[in-house]
Amino acid sequence: MSSSALVLFSGGQDSTTCLAWALSRYARVETLGFDYGQRHSVELSLRLPLLSSLRDLNAEWHQRLGEDHLLDLSLLGKISDTALTRDTAIAMQANGLPNTFVPGRNLLFITIAAALAYRRGIDVIVGGMCETDYSGYPDCRDESLRALESALQLGMATTLSLRTPLMWLNKAATWQLAQDLGGEPLVALIRTDTHTCYLGERGLLHDWGHGCGTCPACELRANGYREYAAGISTKDTGSRLSPG
Ligand code: ZN
């Protein structure tokens, strides 16, 4: 069994849940974040306080949680023109993908993570990519990630594995997973201290957390929380964010 993992950790709900998942499984866990010229760097500013809160939450996690890495990928902002990196309204494009899609982002993130993991002697990468409840980003799909995992194993001659614990969970089930991993204190931490909103709004604290409440990311998070709170979280319901 693998003993160490590198978690792609942005400071959002999904990556924080993945981090808790990894801390429950691996003896040593390191974290990696990217600064790629996001329109809103709210998430990035929340990463370090979140890491410190996770350490406070659980003595075993405190022991397991190792180094944090933050890498500059500003070249991504330079070569992509999307609603996440430019001041543009969120909209659907002709190809059926929202303009929040940053082409190649996850492929690049995971490839860089693999290079870092190689250097750090880590053989598992954990990411919050998910097929179930998302906007259909092609680089979040299991098929894309399995292909990338094979390419990395071949190209780096390693046994590196890519774990995606949220792949088949909807948002309600992701809240439930946090509850299973860290109980009410972890759910409360994710509610108040993680960030999801595409518009970078913190503002009011809703029952599901901070955010504008109307962008696709907020809607998904809020609906998931309501379903979770109502006790109807289920695995892989096949629900998908409707376009627009
Ligand atoms: Zn929002």
Side-chain angles (χ1 to χ4, degrees):
M1 193 200 132
S2 305
S3 61
S4 57
L6 178 64
V7 179
L8 298 173
F9 177 61
S10 67
Q13 175 187 356
D14 292 345
S15 68
T16 304
T17 307
C18 282
L19 178 52
W21 181 89
L23 287 168
S24 307
R25 268 167 189 76
Y26 303 104
R28 178 167 63 101
V29 176
E30 299 190 5
T31 46
L32 170 61
F34 297 105
D35 186 347
Y36 59 97
Q38 298 91 318
R39 242 167 89 187
H40 307 289
S41 52
V42 180
E43 273 190 335
L44 290 182
S45 68
L46 297 172
R47 293 176 75 257
L48 294 180
L50 266 168
L51 289 174
S52 144
S53 300
L54 283 167
R55 284 191 180 94
D56 292 343
L57 220 56
N58 181 312
E60 196 172 41
W61 294 1
H62 190 288
Q63 209 178 19
R64 293 176 168 190
L65 186 53
E67 207 169 309
D68 177 55
H69 312 267
L70 183 65
L71 295 177
D72 178 4
L73 281 187
S74 49
L75 75 118
L76 198 54
K78 286 175 191 146
I79 56 179
S80 75
D81 185 15
T82 79
L84 286 191
T85 52
R86 297 264 193 282
D87 195 10
T88 319
I90 296 170
M92 286 308 280
Q93 306 174 131
N95 64 359
L97 287 171
N99 63 350
T100 47
F101 175 59
V102 182
R105 178 177 58 176
N106 283 326
L107 304 180
L108 185 61
F109 282 3
I110 293 163
T111 304
I112 305 263
L116 179 65
Y118 188 97
R119 178 163 68 76
R120 305 285 300 164
I122 293 173
D123 49 12
V124 176
I125 291 173
V126 180
M129 284 69 68
C130 169
E131 255 196 41
T132 307
D133 241 358
Y134 272 53
S135 312
Y137 293 171
D139 60 348
C140 286
R141 291 185 193 137
D142 194 51
E143 189 181 14
S144 308
L145 298 174
R146 297 283 72 88
L148 180 60
E149 181 187 51
S150 299
L152 291 169
Q153 287 169 350
L154 290 169
M156 296 188 182
T158 64
T159 54
L160 184 85
S161 72
L162 178 56
R163 306 288 308 270
T164 51
L166 310 186
M167 182 56 72
W168 310 111
L169 303 186
N170 64 18
K171 274 285 181 189
T174 300
W175 283 107
Q176 183 60 50
L177 177 61
Q179 167 74 42
D180 297 344
L181 291 166
E184 204 44 53
L186 180 61
V187 172
L189 179 69
I190 289 175
R191 247 191 88 229
T192 57
D193 291 6
T194 68
H195 186 83
T196 305
C197 178
Y198 277 153
L199 303 181
E201 265 186 41
R202 291 296 289 163
L204 210 67
L205 178 62
H206 309 269
D207 54 353
W208 46 268
H210 290 278
C212 73
T214 54
C215 77
C218 279
E219 276 188 3
L220 206 53
R221 176 168 166 150
N223 290 339
Y225 186 81
R226 284 184 200 118
E227 281 178 35
Y228 156 73
I232 50 175
S233 71
T234 47
K235 283 189 179 184
D236 197 10
T237 58
S239 65
R240 202 168 264 280
L241 180 64
S242 58

